[in-house]
Amino acid sequence: MNKQTILSIEDEKNIGNYIETILISNGYKALKAMNGMSGLSMCTSHHPDLILLDLGLPDIDGMEVLDRIRGFSNVPIIVISARTQEKEKVEALDRGADDYITKPFGSEELLARIRTALRHSNQVRSSVGVEKRYSCEDLIIDFDKRLVTLAGEDIHLTQIEYKLVSLLAKNAGKVLTYDYILKEIWGPYADMDNQILRVNMANIRRKIEKNPAEPHYIYTEIGVGYRMKEN
Ligand code: CA
């Protein structure tokens, strides 16, 4: 099996080495770039399967690197940010990043994000990969039948609630921003705010979560959006 190649664009040597070690010991081929320009050129010359992109780079802003890569490639990009500002994460996601991870992060978290992003990009490429079912522990969603069951019991959702849950389930493991969700559910011109999402989410959680205050299936990424548990 071909090793998947992951390019990390990161100027901090320690973090770059840390990432490289994690990647290599988990069977990936690791490429390193220390600044934005060499990252861009390695991206065009090596066609990596995934990119880890630090936003704070010495030469050009990571956001600019993201824009330029998106100008010619759909390669999955996970943004790595030391800055914890939610605005920045949301902006990166809305500009086409697939996910983000905040420093400091552990190897398990990094590897999980990588697996999710690679899985989603393979699904998009194969086009047959549209899953017919989400299944995670007690929660099963049958997309053909539009049926949601929890431990074998039918869960009755409104149409909007179902759309929301199935959108998140089809993107399980991936964070979806509030804006993205609003546009997907209510259309690009709908004048909606996050409040309607919060209300619907509260109703969904009452129906599918054992303890809605500590959700197990759908996590809130504060200030950013929601992420559904991957099976
Ligand atoms: Ca940096």
Side-chain angles (χ1 to χ4, degrees):
M1 190 185 146
N2 262 344
K3 275 191 179 181
Q4 284 176 300
T5 304
I6 299 179
L7 168 63
S8 89
I9 307 176
E10 166 67 72
D11 61 312
E12 279 164 79
K13 226 177 163 190
N14 290 342
I15 298 175
N17 291 340
Y18 171 65
I19 291 174
E20 186 178 38
T21 308
I22 295 172
L23 294 178
I24 291 172
S25 60
N26 286 277
Y28 295 105
K29 190 175 166 203
L31 296 173
K32 263 197 302 191
M34 302 283 285
N35 59 55
M37 286 315 290
S38 68
L40 282 168
S41 89
M42 286 177 88
C43 180
T44 46
S45 57
H46 288 80
H47 302 290
D49 297 292
L50 182 142
I51 294 173
L52 300 168
L53 172 65
D54 180 26
L55 287 179
L57 295 169
D59 54 345
I60 38 177
D61 191 75
M63 223 55 100
E64 168 82 25
V65 177
L66 174 62
D67 282 346
R68 293 208 205 165
I69 295 173
R70 276 292 170 263
F72 64 87
S73 169
N74 287 321
V75 60
I77 299 173
I78 300 174
V79 159
I80 296 181
S81 171
R83 297 167 266 184
T84 49
Q85 279 97 345
E86 289 139 6
K87 251 177 75 184
E88 190 184 66
K89 298 170 185 174
V90 175
E91 188 184 347
L93 293 167
D94 286 339
R95 284 187 181 202
D98 294 81
D99 207 344
Y100 66 84
I101 190 165
T102 308
K103 293 178 196 172
F105 51 83
S107 57
E108 287 312 310
E109 192 186 0
L110 178 67
L111 290 165
R113 295 291 160 81
I114 289 173
R115 280 194 302 270
T116 301
L118 287 171
R119 189 169 66 83
H120 283 287
S121 92
N122 289 337
Q123 273 174 18
V124 171
R125 241 179 278 150
S126 66
S127 81
V128 238
V130 182
E131 282 170 45
K132 296 210 182 304
R133 212 170 120 97
Y134 167 90
S135 162
C136 180
E137 297 165 28
D138 284 344
L139 183 65
I140 292 170
I141 304 170
D142 185 320
F143 299 124
D144 282 345
K145 294 181 187 154
R146 297 174 74 91
L147 206 66
V148 180
T149 58
L150 185 69
E153 300 276 328
D154 283 1
I155 300 291
H156 299 284
L157 299 176
T158 65
Q159 204 180 342
I160 292 287
E161 289 164 5
Y162 175 77
K163 276 189 180 177
L164 247 168
V165 170
S166 58
L167 177 67
L168 286 161
K170 284 173 183 168
N171 291 282
K174 202 173 153 175
V175 64
L176 301 183
T177 65
Y178 297 125
D179 268 6
Y180 177 83
I181 297 171
L182 287 169
K183 284 185 185 124
E184 286 293 311
I185 307 282
W186 284 279
Y189 304 109
D191 186 21
M192 298 286 184
D193 61 16
N194 299 350
Q195 182 57 26
I196 191 157
L197 268 183
R198 276 194 288 272
V199 170
N200 276 286
M201 192 53 72
N203 292 334
I204 291 168
R205 283 177 171 151
R206 261 197 296 277
K207 295 176 185 179
I208 67 167
E209 301 281 5
K210 248 183 216 142
N211 178 2
E214 281 175 42
H216 180 71
Y217 292 111
I218 302 175
Y219 315 117
T220 300
E221 301 269 338
I222 296 163
V224 180
Y226 297 107
R227 188 194 299 271
M228 192 145 174
K229 189 177 168 68
E230 205 167 359
N231 35 328

